[in-house]
Amino acid sequence: MRDLFVGILLPVQPVSIILFTFYCLDRVFKYEYKNRKTALIVSLIAALVTGAAVDIAHFCVPESDTSSAAGDIALMAGLAIHALILMFLLKGKIWKRVLAVFLTSEIINTINMIFTNIQTQVFSIIEWPDRYLLLIAFLIMEFFAILLEFFFLVLIGRIRRKSDNTPLPLPFIAIIAVSLQLITGFLLDEDTGDTLASDIGVIRTVALLMILVILILFFYIRVTRKERDGLKDMNKINAELIESQTKYFEASAKADSEIRSMRHDMKNNIQVLMLLLENKEYDKMREYLEEMGEGLAVTDVSSHTGDVIADAIIADKKARAASAGVELKVTGTISGVEISPVNMCRMLGNLLDNAIEAAGDDRLKDLPSDVRVIDLQFRRTDNFFMISVTNPCAESPNIEDGRIVTSKSDRKNHGFGIQNIRGAAEECGGELSVSCEERPFGYLFRAEVVM
């Protein structure tokens, strides 16, 4: 009976560590796998094989010390192989994948140690009169501790899912891993290894529980700050949107007033022209027509895309482009796709701001006017809708993994334009792609949002 319980208990630790490492990378730290289903299947297989190897090492090696060492070797080998597989299956640069897997494994091991020690302390408080009852109780508490550990990770994952759905930066993961190692190393008794000292075991158990609470609070505070920053960004976007709409409607009203004024004067103008024609005063007629032509410069209310928000944004950006010596050309209409005003502002506003900044570079000021042009296109096919912006630029941006690494010195305040475009595109079920081609005048940059 004892061997049966041992055979069930031994694989619990390797199975839980392997599966929780996969889950933590995916749902808690938000790192993306190349194929999540494959990563899950491989993790399940690795967990089962490692658990079986630990059992075999324990029961097939006769001496207890040797069997324990063989079990540890099997455990470490299984964890190492699984870590290498996860490094291969994750997306991103290799050094980031290595660090992410290594640090996550350390964090899961430490959290597992914390729950194991809490379980041991709780178990030691109760006196068990029957040996088999003790084994059953220990088995139940072992699975209960694993369940609590899983709920702990799920809770953090759900907290982050609200407003912090991006990969947790490696420095944060490193701080968590090092802090957990240092604090648990200090709290655990050095003479007994993983076992809490009996004299102050309760105090240390409470301290370990406080570590878990602090970890939850850390993620909660981080999410709250991101929500606050998100609200600030939203307020800024709304302010820009209102400003663009105001300018657009003012321009529309001005154009309408000018058109009505022209219609009012048209009758008199025709009468004058008819009189000049009858008197064969062609030179005066030409002068009069030229003077009329100068008065026909009606205010441009930009393009008519079929989306009043897009029209307002384009009207504003056209004026800004003109002041930078750049022409903004617009073709196509917006149809067959639903984009909220906020996301339209985030995508179109930032796309055009980046294009105007690049095309208005002083290094391009000597180029012909037909080169200093921003081309904005809206295209619709049977399968997708695309917003495309092309513009000249003086130098090629640093593009890594399909993402632009900002060349501006103030990285804290810059580079968010592309992030906002990408985030808005993803909210609309699309994606952003960027590319840059070398041309005789410099470079031609292209940004496309496909939905």
Side-chain angles (χ1 to χ4, degrees), residues 239-260:
E240 292 176 354
L241 190 57
I242 292 170
E243 181 183 1
S244 296
Q245 286 180 298
T246 301
K247 290 180 179 179
Y248 174 74
F249 292 129
E250 287 176 351
S252 297
K254 183 179 179 182
D256 183 63
S257 176
E258 291 179 356
I259 291 171
R260 283 189 281 110

Side-chain angles (χ1 to χ4, degrees), residues 36-85:
R36 185 174 180 274
K37 187 176 180 180
T38 301
L40 175 59
I41 293 172
V42 169
S43 296
L44 286 170
I45 294 173
L48 294 175
V49 171
T50 305
V54 171
D55 256 353
I56 292 171
H58 177 80
F59 288 108
C60 294
V61 180
E63 294 85 359
S64 59
D65 291 341
T66 308
S67 64
S68 177
D72 291 340
I73 292 172
L75 174 60
M76 289 186 291
L79 296 178
I81 292 172
H82 178 247
L84 289 173
I85 294 173

Side-chain angles (χ1 to χ4, degrees), residues 186-206:
F186 174 77
L187 290 175
L188 294 177
D189 186 79
E190 295 180 356
D191 296 329
T192 56
D194 290 347
T195 305
L196 290 171
S198 58
D199 53 347
I200 54 173
V202 175
I203 298 176
R204 291 184 175 179
T205 300
V206 173

Side-chain angles (χ1 to χ4, degrees), residues 171-433:
F172 281 100
I173 301 179
I175 291 172
I176 293 172
V178 173
S179 300
L180 286 176
Q181 286 281 355
L182 291 175
I183 297 172
T184 53
F186 174 77
L187 290 175
L188 294 177
D189 186 79
E190 295 180 356
D191 296 329
T192 56
D194 290 347
T195 305
L196 290 171
S198 58
D199 53 347
I200 54 173
V202 175
I203 298 176
R204 291 184 175 179
T205 300
V206 173
L208 291 173
L209 286 171
M210 289 300 299
I211 293 173
L212 301 178
V213 173
I214 291 171
L215 194 57
I216 293 173
L217 288 175
F218 165 80
F219 283 103
Y220 179 78
I221 292 171
R222 175 181 165 83
V223 169
T224 303
R225 289 187 62 184
K226 292 208 73 170
E227 286 180 343
R228 183 188 62 194
D229 294 341
L231 287 174
K232 286 183 180 179
D233 291 340
M234 192 71 68
N235 290 334
K236 182 180 178 182
I237 290 171
N238 286 333
E240 292 176 354
L241 190 57
I242 292 170
E243 181 183 1
S244 296
Q245 286 180 298
T246 301
K247 290 180 179 179
Y248 174 74
F249 292 129
E250 287 176 351
S252 297
K254 183 179 179 182
D256 183 63
S257 176
E258 291 179 356
I259 291 171
R260 283 189 281 110
S261 176
M262 287 171 55
R263 290 177 62 185
H264 182 267
D265 295 336
M266 188 61 67
K267 183 177 179 181
N268 295 330
N269 289 330
I270 291 174
Q271 289 177 347
V272 171
L273 288 171
M274 290 296 294
L275 181 62
L276 293 172
L277 181 62
E278 289 175 0
N279 295 332
K280 298 182 180 181
E281 298 184 43
Y282 300 121
D283 291 338
K284 290 185 177 181
M285 185 177 179
R286 183 182 296 108
E287 291 176 3
Y288 193 85
L289 285 171
E290 288 176 355
E291 187 177 346
M292 282 182 60
E294 292 175 359
L296 292 177
V298 181
T299 302
D300 180 17
V301 294
S302 192
S303 56
H304 299 279
T305 64
D307 186 300
V308 67
I309 302 299
D311 291 342
I313 294 169
I314 292 170
D316 180 46
K317 302 307 178 186
K318 268 195 172 183
R320 295 188 184 185
S323 65
V326 178
E327 182 184 0
L328 173 57
K329 291 184 177 180
V330 183
T331 56
T333 57
I334 300 173
S335 62
V337 63
E338 292 185 6
I339 305 174
S340 69
V342 170
N343 282 333
M344 179 63 76
C345 188
R346 290 172 67 192
M347 284 190 291
L348 194 55
N350 282 298
L351 281 169
L352 294 177
D353 281 341
N354 293 342
I356 293 169
E357 181 180 359
D361 194 305
D362 289 338
R363 290 172 289 181
L364 302 178
K365 65 181 180 180
D366 295 329
L367 292 178
S369 59
D370 61 340
V371 174
R372 300 187 73 187
V373 173
I374 298 170
D375 186 17
L376 169 61
Q377 295 183 13
F378 300 102
R379 292 204 296 267
R380 176 73 191 174
T381 69
D382 293 337
N383 299 319
F384 62 86
F385 173 78
M386 183 172 70
I387 303 174
S388 173
V389 177
T390 57
N391 60 270
C393 52
E395 61 182 33
S396 177
N398 185 12
I399 300 175
E400 297 181 1
D401 299 327
R403 298 172 183 266
I404 293 181
V405 179
T406 179
S407 59
K408 299 175 184 177
S409 58
D410 188 3
R411 285 177 176 252
K412 183 176 180 181
N413 295 319
H414 294 297
F416 290 109
I418 291 293
Q419 293 180 26
N420 287 337
I421 298 167
R422 194 181 301 277
E426 290 175 354
E427 285 185 19
C428 296
E431 60 181 19
L432 169 70
S433 63

Side-chain angles (χ1 to χ4, degrees), residues 127-140:
E127 294 185 3
W128 305 93
D130 186 83
R131 178 184 177 186
Y132 291 112
L133 183 62
L134 183 146
L135 290 174
I136 293 172
F138 191 84
L139 182 63
I140 292 173

